[in-house]
Amino acid sequence: QLQLVESGGDLVQPGNSLRLSCAATGDRLRLYAVAWFRQAPGKEREGVSCITATNVTFYTDSMKGRFTISRDSAKNTVYLQMDNLKPEDTAVYYCAADTICKRDPSNFHYWGQGTQVTVFS
């Protein structure tokens, strides 16, 4: 059974960077598509980025150029590098895994518990 644990969330000022990690146990994460979603208070969960099992990457338009998803199969981990952070990036960030990348978070079978990112002036 695949299990996911996110880490790397923090309180940062605008313009700073963070790298989130999604570490897997129980199976080889390289066999899965892995997505990052985020959810701000009072808002629906939204897609951020996704990397397929063949390392094709997708990004939500508003995050292109600032966020980078990557995979380290030796560490069984997927990362989300977030640069030039803005207050509107404040949210709980979740990683999720399934067979293919999908827009609808309800179609992902495996989820982590989330990590809080807060961007404040």
Side-chain angles (χ1 to χ4, degrees):
Q1 178 84 0
L2 184 69
Q3 294 184 317
L4 304 174
V5 177
E6 301 95 334
S7 62
D10 206 345
L11 280 70
V12 296
Q13 292 185 322
N16 281 4
S17 299
L18 282 176
R19 188 177 77 160
L20 306 183
S21 299
C22 174
T25 58
D27 203 350
R28 293 169 292 176
L29 194 57
R30 65 179 177 85
L31 300 177
Y32 296 83
V34 179
W36 286 95
F37 292 88
R38 70 185 186 184
Q39 189 163 20
K43 295 188 177 181
E44 292 187 353
R45 194 166 295 190
E46 66 170 339
V48 174
S49 183
C50 191
I51 185 167
T52 70
T54 55
N55 292 329
V56 176
T57 58
F58 301 93
Y59 298 92
T60 297
D61 285 346
S62 61
M63 296 151 206
K64 284 181 182 177
R66 295 194 300 125
F67 291 5
T68 305
I69 192 169
S70 62
R71 181 193 298 273
D72 186 336
S73 295
K75 295 183 178 180
N76 220 26
T77 299
V78 166
Y79 301 100
L80 183 69
Q81 176 69 38
M82 305 188 295
D83 298 321
N84 189 24
L85 283 162
K86 303 175 181 181
E88 52 264 41
D89 295 318
T90 295
V92 178
Y93 285 71
Y94 300 89
C95 66
D98 213 295
T99 54
I100 60 173
C101 288
K102 290 161 273 192
R103 291 183 182 275
D104 187 347
S106 67
N107 289 327
F108 280 82
H109 187 72
Y110 301 101
W111 286 86
Q113 82 291 347
T115 186
Q116 176 71 47
V117 172
T118 303
V119 185
F120 71 103
S121 297

